[in-house]
Amino acid sequence: MNVSHTLTVTKNEDQGAGYFHLVAQAPELARAARPGQFIHVHCAPSVDPLLRRPFSFYRLRPEAGEVEIYYQVVGKGTHLLSRIRSGTKLDALGPLGQGFPLDRKAQRILILGRGMGTAPLIALAEAARTQGTEVSAILSARNSATLVGDRLLASWGVEVITVTDESGTSAPEKVEPLVAAALDRPGTAQAFVCGSRRLARLLKRLAAARGIPAFVSLEERMGCGLGGCLVCACRVRTPEGETYKRVCKDGPVFPLEEVVLG
Amino acid sequence: MNVSHTLTVTKNEDQGAGYFHLVAQAPELARAARPGQFIHVHCAPSVDPLLRRPFSFYRLRPEAGEVEIYYQVVGKGTHLLSRIRSGTKLDALGPLGQGFPLDRKAQRILILGRGMGTAPLIALAEAARTQGTEVSAILSARNSATLVGDRLLASWGVEVITVTDESGTSAPEKVEPLVAAALDRPGTAQAFVCGSRRLARLLKRLAAARGIPAFVSLEERMGCGLGGCLVCACRVRTPEGETYKRVCKDGPVFPLEEVVLG
Amino acid sequence: MKPDLGVEICGLKLKNPVMPSSGSFGLPGYEEYMDLNGLGALVVKSITLHPRAGNPPPRIAETTAGMLNAVGIQNPGVKWFIKNDLQRLRRFTPPLIVSIAGTTVEEFAQATELLEKEEGIAAYEINVSCPNIEAGGRAFGMSAAATQAVVAAVKERTRRPIFTKLTPNVTDIVEIAQAAVEAGSDGLTLINTLLGMAIDVKLRRPVLANVFGGLSGPAIKPVALRCVYQVAQAVKVPIIGTGGISSATDVLEFLLAGASAVQVGTANIVDPYIMPKIIADLEKYLEENNAASVREYIGALKTH
Amino acid sequence: MKPDLGVEICGLKLKNPVMPSSGSFGLPGYEEYMDLNGLGALVVKSITLHPRAGNPPPRIAETTAGMLNAVGIQNPGVKWFIKNDLQRLRRFTPPLIVSIAGTTVEEFAQATELLEKEEGIAAYEINVSCPNIEAGGRAFGMSAAATQAVVAAVKERTRRPIFTKLTPNVTDIVEIAQAAVEAGSDGLTLINTLLGMAIDVKLRRPVLANVFGGLSGPAIKPVALRCVYQVAQAVKVPIIGTGGISSATDVLEFLLAGASAVQVGTANIVDPYIMPKIIADLEKYLEENNAASVREYIGALKTH
Ligand SMILES: Cc1cc2nc3c(=O)[nH]c(=O)nc-3n(C[C@H](O)[C@H](O)[C@H](O)COP(=O)(O)OP(=O)(O)OC[C@H]3O[C@@H](n4cnc5c(N)ncnc54)[C@H](O)[C@@H]3O)c2cc1C
Ligand SMILES: Cc1cc2nc3c(=O)[nH]c(=O)nc-3n(C[C@H](O)[C@H](O)[C@H](O)COP(=O)(O)OP(=O)(O)OC[C@H]3O[C@@H](n4cnc5c(N)ncnc54)[C@H](O)[C@@H]3O)c2cc1C
Ligand SMILES: Cc1cc2nc3c(=O)[nH]c(=O)nc-3n(C[C@H](O)[C@H](O)[C@H](O)COP(=O)(O)O)c2cc1C
Ligand SMILES: Cc1cc2nc3c(=O)[nH]c(=O)nc-3n(C[C@H](O)[C@H](O)[C@H](O)COP(=O)(O)O)c2cc1C
Ligand code: FES
Ligand code: FES
């Protein structure tokens, strides 16, 4: 499969707080991609920055031939990306990696996201709602301006609980009862977390105690994005002991029980 | 003196045959610059290409606050330059180097240019005409499409002789009598050459024989453009023997008798 | 007529001089994304006798026009390689070059013995950039004697051609190259990465968990070209050039400097489809410049 | 309160840690373009006992995010320097560092003797990257013994501090650094350029008339940082870091790695006004990050 695509940017909008929402035409990619997978983007046709940048799908709209990402400006690559105008062509590889293993028959799932880590969970929630699965969402952020996708989720009938550092509601001990309650809700078949090691550890413990399959989407610095260069290592526990897996190819989504959260 | 300027491009036009004509607003620079001097341009705000590119002034229009360059696309830098649109800001150092030592009282001068090397001679001819000096021009090029400034010169009342490879008129033995005749013209006080080592050698010999001061504008790969890095060496003969001078600072214009033409 | 892109190195017939460099291209793996049979050769990630987990992350740092990696030769070990990867790689037509690494001479020797019994391997590349744990951890390739010892140990155990892959982190690469050739290396690959480091000012920490990493990419091309040229002047064996190659003109620069074939590393990481593009551009360039064969460029640099 | 940018190295008080590197900045000359008194120190192009014409052109080749130079230490010789340049340079307030080069130990010694008689020199930088013509043309800095001989010869003849400027083109830069310090070097400057080469495919020729040149610029920063860090772990003398610096964060990276001051080279060639910008940015960065002094960064890299 040729994973090289030329995306035509149709929208690249400042969302405030250094966040941007990019929409691009890429019909084949939109058809092939699944929530939790990502694209690997060359932010500028140059040697500086040299490497691609990975971004999860925020929304997939195969009917419109569009993919969407939601990103935060943190450094050189995302800065250049933020300056791209509608009509610009973007060179991207995708869809890459293993997506979220959403259970077709799940009655309800829990999504737990912090900051920009919420982005891939939005695509997941949309797929869940489309197949009729209920979604509980707990979204954490520094402040309300850096919450991602809360209104979109609400518009899909997702019950959204938001917690923020600003309001003092995001400390682990305050989030724990919320997560526990969500997991305990009848019908909750799977749980997914992204954007915070702390939240991931919390979910790992609470989900394991309840026997609910839980998954995390990890981030690591990447080279190729295709499993070829082995730089995107994450520590996992296997029957043979601890070892490294590739975030780009074996992940970015992993069963929480497998991952060694540092 | 601060030699750093921000040029605002007002025109950057394809002239055919890979040649471009760039006009930019830069009032201070336009005031300070003299024919034969050059600007050192950062063709793109990037590390690739890393170095600046030198371009002679093609025209200086202090009254309009504008400078003009005429350039040929040969590699990465000039390619990027050719894609710049009106309104773009360009980072340039200038005016750099020693210009042509035009004699205020010269009755007539001869300019001898080949290809893009004609560019600085246009600025010189304009200054000469402005001070009432007559100008004889012999312009050489591969073909008529790559002649530079012939029509502009003619519009200033300059007698222009053009020779081209295409028409078989540009061989040294054919150009020699033309140059000799021009030098022999009464009142010819100085001669200037740029763009061809062969023509420079020819002029050196013919001008020396007649005791007419002759000057060449040299090209060499540059680093700083300010005389600080010593990479732009050209071989010259001094009373103490042969040595290197800096094209960027001691030149680009040199007395022909001083230069060792390889 | 189409120009001839074929080259021969140590008896290996390559249909073009372009192959991936060890560790930069998933083999096996990338057959999922493209046709591997268009490449000049296939080179696998370095294999060691025992499995190696590699270094903790972060393992990569971007630098200006380059990158640092500190993978730490993560690999499943030679037995696993033979049982799994080799089966899959044999199916492809380009010659297969297996890169061997180790931390003792004995490890190189044993890995070679195991590989030697297997079909479908065209040649070995000896990666001497690993720390030599019997000699204070300095890479084998930083000492002529240690390089010689490794090469001799492998050479004794194989009838296949061996390419020793040199590190540029030495005072005199020619000396190491000559030592490798004397010890029986049939060809040489150069260069491996330059030792480098990146620092995160905000965190006041090295970017790489391993502190140091290997610098690769366009940034190092001038050093690689220099090494290839210096070594080509001094030895007679074929050279595979690598270091910062990302275009057809880059390939020709290495051939002019004296390489007979080239490897593409970091450029694959940026664009996995770059090698087919380079090969197509190479053909086009030769055609436009009336060169009947790419071999016309090998060692053809004029210096007077 | 404004952060304190001052640093002290071997008794030299610099009002900020930023100075030009030898050969990249016209001294004297650039006073025509800017105020030199804002710089941390002034470093002149290497001076040799006898005048040197330098190499034939082309002397420069652009590479990706870097450049090669082969100037060949063109300079008017120490006597001319003293009579002309030194007079002009004495007028400026930053400490003046005179770089000395040579092709024999004796040349270094004699140049030092002549300079030592003059006022207005704060320190010497010993450029050991020149070919040592008494030992086959390999640079002094590529051998610990040759480095030691040069440093000792200079040390004997001066009461001023000396900084030995090391070449990265060695197997073990720590060994050379230690040799220099043992021989009496009060500080170290690192790194000089990496040996490289560029080829023009159309002409089938090296770009540089000298074939080889020294690679500098952003491309080499990871190598320079690594060298500074390695040496800083091993010696106690102050280090001046150089190699690819073009921003205030670059400066802080070198300080974190263990440098006490830095030199800017290629970035001056790209933009002669970059040092004042870097100094201003440095102040701003420290202010924004609540650092009272730039000295807080020196050697402050956390690696655990
Ligand atoms: C699978 C995956 C999905 C992601 N999805 C999103 C998303 O949907 N929205 C979003 O805003 N961000 C996402 N990220 C993070 C995003 O890739 C980084 O923010 C981005 O690479 C930063 O690039 P930069 O040049 O702006 O920053 P710089 O700090 O200048 O980058 C320097 C280097 O570090 C790498 N890097 C820096 N931060 C990260 C990071 N957090 N993860 C991985 N590499 C990093 C860069 O890729 C680059 O190689 C994702 C990361 C991964 C691995
Ligand atoms: C004083 C002076 C005045 C000039 N005036 C003009 C002019 O008015 N119009 C014009 O078209 N050109 C002029 N040139 C030549 C122009 O500078 C080069 O064509 C240009 O630098 C090529 O850059 P590039 O990136 O397109 O080519 P590349 O070949 O990619 O450049 C690679 C490197 O070589 C250098 N280089 C390549 N060709 C030349 C050259 N002929 N002279 C000096 N350096 C070169 C580049 O600057 C760069 O560092 C002048 C050169 C000098 C020295
Ligand atoms: C991520 C990565 C992993 C590498 N792994 C190996 C390896 O296992 N064995 C080896 O000999 N070289 C390895 N290298 C070095 C490359 O094969 C190559 O020699 C080097 O990167 C220079 O080429 P380049 O500039 O084209 O990347 C690796 C390089 C990178 C970037
Ligand atoms: C054009 C040029 C000339 C140089 N001349 C000298 C010199 O005379 N003496 C010296 O010690 N270093 C010289 N260098 C090396 C620089 O001082 C510096 O060590 C090197 O370029 C690395 O720094 P950079 O990457 O910031 O340029 C020169 C570098 C350049 C680019
Ligand atoms: S980024 Fe290359 S293996 Fe994951
Ligand atoms: S380009 Fe630097 S001295 Fe001329």
Side-chain angles (χ1 to χ4, degrees), chain B residues 193-226:
Chain B
V193 61
C194 184
S196 158
R197 296 242 152 189
R198 239 159 45 163
L199 290 182
R201 272 195 297 266
L202 178 67
L203 179 63
K204 184 174 182 172
R205 179 162 51 81
L206 299 181
R210 288 163 179 78
I212 296 176
F215 304 88
V216 61
S217 179
L218 294 179
E219 287 189 7
E220 190 46 73
R221 287 173 185 244
M222 287 186 181
C224 67
L226 300 178

CSV table of all heavy atoms in Angstrom, one decimal, chain B residues 193-226:
chain,number,residue,atom,x,y,z
B,193,VAL,N,35.0,46.6,-18.1
B,193,VAL,CA,34.6,45.3,-18.6
B,193,VAL,C,34.1,44.4,-17.5
B,193,VAL,O,34.5,44.5,-16.3
B,193,VAL,CB,35.8,44.5,-19.3
B,193,VAL,CG1,36.9,44.3,-18.4
B,193,VAL,CG2,35.3,43.2,-20.0
B,194,CYS,N,33.1,43.5,-17.8
B,194,CYS,CA,32.6,42.6,-16.9
B,194,CYS,C,31.9,41.4,-17.6
B,194,CYS,O,31.3,41.6,-18.6
B,194,CYS,CB,31.5,43.3,-16.0
B,194,CYS,SG,30.9,42.2,-14.6
B,195,GLY,N,32.1,40.2,-17.0
B,195,GLY,CA,31.3,39.1,-17.5
B,195,GLY,C,32.1,38.1,-18.3
B,195,GLY,O,31.5,37.1,-18.7
B,196,SER,N,33.4,38.4,-18.6
B,196,SER,CA,34.1,37.4,-19.4
B,196,SER,C,35.6,37.6,-19.2
B,196,SER,O,36.1,38.7,-19.3
B,196,SER,CB,33.8,37.6,-20.9
B,196,SER,OG,34.8,37.2,-21.7
B,197,ARG,N,36.3,36.6,-18.8
B,197,ARG,CA,37.8,36.7,-18.6
B,197,ARG,C,38.4,36.9,-19.9
B,197,ARG,O,39.4,37.6,-20.0
B,197,ARG,CB,38.3,35.3,-18.0
B,197,ARG,CG,37.8,35.0,-16.6
B,197,ARG,CD,38.9,34.9,-15.6
B,197,ARG,NE,38.3,35.3,-14.3
B,197,ARG,CZ,39.0,35.5,-13.2
B,197,ARG,NH1,40.3,35.4,-13.1
B,197,ARG,NH2,38.3,35.8,-12.1
B,198,ARG,N,37.9,36.3,-21.0
B,198,ARG,CA,38.5,36.5,-22.3
B,198,ARG,C,38.4,38.0,-22.8
B,198,ARG,O,39.4,38.5,-23.2
B,198,ARG,CB,37.7,35.6,-23.3
B,198,ARG,CG,38.6,34.6,-24.0
B,198,ARG,CD,37.8,33.5,-24.6
B,198,ARG,NE,36.7,33.9,-25.3
B,198,ARG,CZ,36.0,33.1,-26.1
B,198,ARG,NH1,36.5,31.8,-26.4
B,198,ARG,NH2,34.9,33.5,-26.7
B,199,LEU,N,37.2,38.5,-22.6
B,199,LEU,CA,37.1,40.0,-22.9
B,199,LEU,C,38.0,40.8,-22.1
B,199,LEU,O,38.5,41.8,-22.5
B,199,LEU,CB,35.6,40.4,-22.8
B,199,LEU,CG,34.7,39.8,-23.9
B,199,LEU,CD1,33.3,40.4,-23.7
B,199,LEU,CD2,35.2,40.1,-25.3
B,200,ALA,N,38.1,40.5,-20.8
B,200,ALA,CA,38.9,41.2,-19.9
B,200,ALA,C,40.4,41.2,-20.3
B,200,ALA,O,41.0,42.2,-20.3
B,200,ALA,CB,38.8,40.7,-18.4
B,201,ARG,N,40.8,40.0,-20.7
B,201,ARG,CA,42.2,39.9,-21.2
B,201,ARG,C,42.4,40.8,-22.4
B,201,ARG,O,43.4,41.5,-22.6
B,201,ARG,CB,42.5,38.4,-21.5
B,201,ARG,CG,43.1,37.7,-20.3
B,201,ARG,CD,43.7,36.4,-20.7
B,201,ARG,NE,42.8,35.5,-21.3
B,201,ARG,CZ,42.1,34.6,-20.6
B,201,ARG,NH1,42.2,34.4,-19.3
B,201,ARG,NH2,41.2,33.8,-21.3
B,202,LEU,N,41.4,40.7,-23.3
B,202,LEU,CA,41.5,41.5,-24.5
B,202,LEU,C,41.6,43.0,-24.2
B,202,LEU,O,42.4,43.7,-24.7
B,202,LEU,CB,40.2,41.2,-25.4
B,202,LEU,CG,40.0,42.0,-26.7
B,202,LEU,CD1,41.1,41.5,-27.7
B,202,LEU,CD2,38.6,41.7,-27.3
B,203,LEU,N,40.7,43.4,-23.4
B,203,LEU,CA,40.7,44.9,-23.0
B,203,LEU,C,41.9,45.3,-22.3
B,203,LEU,O,42.5,46.4,-22.6
B,203,LEU,CB,39.4,45.2,-22.2
B,203,LEU,CG,39.3,46.7,-21.8
B,203,LEU,CD1,39.2,47.6,-23.0
B,203,LEU,CD2,38.2,46.9,-20.8
B,204,LYS,N,42.4,44.4,-21.5
B,204,LYS,CA,43.7,44.7,-20.7
B,204,LYS,C,44.8,45.1,-21.7
B,204,LYS,O,45.5,46.1,-21.6
B,204,LYS,CB,44.0,43.5,-19.9
B,204,LYS,CG,45.2,43.7,-19.0
B,204,LYS,CD,45.4,42.5,-18.0
B,204,LYS,CE,46.6,42.8,-17.1
B,204,LYS,NZ,46.7,41.7,-16.1
B,205,ARG,N,44.9,44.2,-22.7
B,205,ARG,CA,46.0,44.4,-23.7
B,205,ARG,C,45.8,45.6,-24.5
B,205,ARG,O,46.7,46.5,-24.6
B,205,ARG,CB,46.0,43.1,-24.6
B,205,ARG,CG,47.1,43.1,-25.7
B,205,ARG,CD,47.3,41.7,-26.2
B,205,ARG,NE,46.1,41.0,-26.6
B,205,ARG,CZ,45.5,41.1,-27.8
B,205,ARG,NH1,45.9,42.0,-28.7
B,205,ARG,NH2,44.4,40.4,-28.1
B,206,LEU,N,44.6,45.8,-25.0
B,206,LEU,CA,44.3,46.9,-25.9
B,206,LEU,C,44.4,48.2,-25.2
B,206,LEU,O,44.9,49.2,-25.7
B,206,LEU,CB,43.0,46.7,-26.6
B,206,LEU,CG,42.8,45.5,-27.5
B,206,LEU,CD1,41.5,45.4,-28.2
B,206,LEU,CD2,44.0,45.4,-28.6
B,207,ALA,N,43.8,48.3,-24.0
B,207,ALA,CA,43.8,49.5,-23.2
B,207,ALA,C,45.2,49.9,-22.8
B,207,ALA,O,45.6,51.1,-22.8
B,207,ALA,CB,42.9,49.4,-22.0
B,208,ALA,N,46.0,48.9,-22.3
B,208,ALA,CA,47.3,49.2,-21.9
B,208,ALA,C,48.2,49.8,-23.0
B,208,ALA,O,48.9,50.7,-22.8
B,208,ALA,CB,48.0,47.9,-21.3
B,209,ALA,N,48.0,49.2,-24.2
B,209,ALA,CA,48.7,49.7,-25.3
B,209,ALA,C,48.5,51.1,-25.6
B,209,ALA,O,49.3,51.8,-26.2
B,209,ALA,CB,48.4,48.8,-26.6
B,210,ARG,N,47.3,51.5,-25.3
B,210,ARG,CA,46.9,52.9,-25.5
B,210,ARG,C,46.9,53.8,-24.3
B,210,ARG,O,46.6,55.0,-24.4
B,210,ARG,CB,45.4,52.9,-26.1
B,210,ARG,CG,45.3,52.3,-27.5
B,210,ARG,CD,43.9,52.0,-27.8
B,210,ARG,NE,43.8,51.4,-29.1
B,210,ARG,CZ,44.1,50.2,-29.5
B,210,ARG,NH1,44.6,49.4,-28.6
B,210,ARG,NH2,44.0,49.8,-30.8
B,211,GLY,N,47.4,53.2,-23.2
B,211,GLY,CA,47.4,54.0,-22.0
B,211,GLY,C,46.1,54.5,-21.5
B,211,GLY,O,46.0,55.5,-20.7
B,212,ILE,N,45.1,53.8,-21.8
B,212,ILE,CA,43.7,54.1,-21.3
B,212,ILE,C,43.4,53.4,-20.0
B,212,ILE,O,43.5,52.1,-20.0
B,212,ILE,CB,42.6,53.9,-22.3
B,212,ILE,CG1,42.9,54.8,-23.5
B,212,ILE,CG2,41.2,54.1,-21.8
B,212,ILE,CD1,41.9,54.6,-24.7
B,213,PRO,N,43.1,54.0,-18.9
B,213,PRO,CA,42.8,53.3,-17.7
B,213,PRO,C,41.6,52.4,-17.9
B,213,PRO,O,40.6,52.8,-18.4
B,213,PRO,CB,42.4,54.4,-16.7
B,213,PRO,CG,42.9,55.7,-17.3
B,213,PRO,CD,43.0,55.5,-18.8
B,214,ALA,N,41.8,51.1,-17.5
B,214,ALA,CA,40.7,50.1,-17.7
B,214,ALA,C,40.4,49.4,-16.4
B,214,ALA,O,41.3,49.1,-15.7
B,214,ALA,CB,41.1,49.2,-18.8
B,215,PHE,N,39.2,49.0,-16.2
B,215,PHE,CA,38.7,48.4,-15.0
B,215,PHE,C,37.9,47.2,-15.3
B,215,PHE,O,37.1,47.1,-16.3
B,215,PHE,CB,38.0,49.4,-14.2
B,215,PHE,CG,38.8,50.7,-13.9
B,215,PHE,CD1,38.7,51.7,-14.8
B,215,PHE,CD2,39.6,50.8,-12.8
B,215,PHE,CE1,39.5,52.9,-14.6
B,215,PHE,CE2,40.3,51.9,-12.5
B,215,PHE,CZ,40.3,52.9,-13.4
B,216,VAL,N,37.9,46.2,-14.4
B,216,VAL,CA,37.1,45.0,-14.5
B,216,VAL,C,36.3,44.8,-13.2
B,216,VAL,O,36.8,45.1,-12.1
B,216,VAL,CB,38.0,43.8,-14.8
B,216,VAL,CG1,39.0,43.5,-13.6
B,216,VAL,CG2,37.2,42.5,-15.0
B,217,SER,N,35.1,44.3,-13.4
B,217,SER,CA,34.4,43.9,-12.2
B,217,SER,C,34.4,42.4,-12.1
B,217,SER,O,34.0,41.7,-13.1
B,217,SER,CB,32.9,44.4,-12.3
B,217,SER,OG,32.2,44.0,-11.1
B,218,LEU,N,35.0,41.9,-11.0
B,218,LEU,CA,35.2,40.4,-10.9
B,218,LEU,C,34.1,39.7,-10.1
B,218,LEU,O,33.4,40.4,-9.3
B,218,LEU,CB,36.5,40.2,-10.2
B,218,LEU,CG,37.8,40.6,-10.9
B,218,LEU,CD1,39.0,40.2,-10.0
B,218,LEU,CD2,37.9,39.9,-12.3
B,219,GLU,N,34.0,38.4,-10.4
B,219,GLU,CA,33.0,37.6,-9.6
B,219,GLU,C,33.8,36.5,-8.9
B,219,GLU,O,34.7,36.0,-9.4
B,219,GLU,CB,32.0,37.0,-10.5
B,219,GLU,CG,31.0,37.9,-11.0
B,219,GLU,CD,29.8,37.2,-11.7
B,219,GLU,OE1,29.7,36.0,-11.7
B,219,GLU,OE2,29.0,38.0,-12.3
B,220,GLU,N,33.5,36.3,-7.6
B,220,GLU,CA,34.1,35.2,-6.9
B,220,GLU,C,33.1,34.7,-5.8
B,220,GLU,O,32.3,35.5,-5.4
B,220,GLU,CB,35.4,35.5,-6.3
B,220,GLU,CG,36.2,34.4,-5.7
B,220,GLU,CD,36.3,33.2,-6.6
B,220,GLU,OE1,37.0,33.2,-7.7
B,220,GLU,OE2,35.6,32.2,-6.4
B,221,ARG,N,33.1,33.5,-5.5
B,221,ARG,CA,32.2,33.0,-4.4
B,221,ARG,C,32.5,33.7,-3.1
B,221,ARG,O,33.6,33.9,-2.8
B,221,ARG,CB,32.4,31.5,-4.2
B,221,ARG,CG,31.8,30.7,-5.4
B,221,ARG,CD,32.1,29.2,-5.3
B,221,ARG,NE,31.6,28.5,-6.5
B,221,ARG,CZ,30.7,27.6,-6.5
B,221,ARG,NH1,30.2,27.2,-5.4
B,221,ARG,NH2,30.3,27.1,-7.6
B,222,MET,N,31.4,34.1,-2.5
B,222,MET,CA,31.6,35.0,-1.3
B,222,MET,C,31.0,34.3,-0.1
B,222,MET,O,30.1,33.5,-0.1
B,222,MET,CB,30.8,36.3,-1.6
B,222,MET,CG,31.6,37.2,-2.5
B,222,MET,SD,30.8,38.8,-2.6
B,222,MET,CE,31.9,39.5,-3.8
B,223,GLY,N,31.5,34.7,1.0
B,223,GLY,CA,31.0,34.5,2.3
B,223,GLY,C,30.3,35.7,2.8
B,223,GLY,O,29.2,36.1,2.5
B,224,CYS,N,31.1,36.5,3.7
B,224,CYS,CA,30.5,37.6,4.4
B,224,CYS,C,30.2,38.8,3.5
B,224,CYS,O,29.2,39.5,3.8
B,224,CYS,CB,31.5,38.1,5.4
B,224,CYS,SG,33.1,38.7,4.7
B,225,GLY,N,30.9,39.0,2.4
B,225,GLY,CA,30.7,40.2,1.6
B,225,GLY,C,31.3,41.5,2.2
B,225,GLY,O,31.2,42.5,1.5
B,226,LEU,N,31.8,41.4,3.4
B,226,LEU,CA,32.3,42.6,4.1
B,226,LEU,C,33.8,42.7,4.3
B,226,LEU,O,34.3,43.6,5.0
B,226,LEU,CB,31.6,42.7,5.4
B,226,LEU,CG,30.1,42.8,5.5
B,226,LEU,CD1,29.7,42.9,7.0
B,226,LEU,CD2,29.6,44.1,4.8
